[in-house]
Amino acid sequence: TQAGTVATMELGGIAASSLLFSQLAPRLRPRRVYTFGIAAIAAMNAATIFAPSIEALFAIRAVAGVAAGSVTAMVMYTAG
């Protein structure tokens, strides 16, 4: 179903960016990742309301997933 595809796109973004950002975390500033990540999550959540098509919704949720994965990976890195 389309709802399942939306969830898959977001979770795929989270998984991919968590792997990427866990490797990049030592080279990045946590505050910057948090700031941009949370801003991107908020922006993509707002953009979800205005998605003109289901394909656009898939892309928006994938970007939101990438942002969420970056924040998650950085939280795990800074927590130790």
Side-chain angles (χ1 to χ4, degrees):
T1 66
Q2 293 177 337
T5 305
V6 170
T8 299
M9 297 298 289
E10 186 163 4
L11 292 173
I14 291 171
S17 67
S18 291
L19 291 172
L20 174 67
F21 277 88
S22 65
Q23 297 299 311
L24 295 175
R27 299 182 197 117
L28 300 174
R29 294 181 182 161
R31 185 178 192 133
R32 185 172 291 171
V33 174
Y34 295 145
T35 301
F36 287 114
I38 292 170
I41 292 167
M44 292 302 104
N45 285 342
T48 297
I49 299 168
F50 304 107
S53 66
I54 192 68
E55 292 81 12
L57 180 63
F58 294 158
I60 290 167
R61 297 316 306 161
V63 172
V66 169
S70 69
V71 172
T72 301
M74 191 57 70
V75 167
M76 292 299 161
Y77 174 74
T78 56

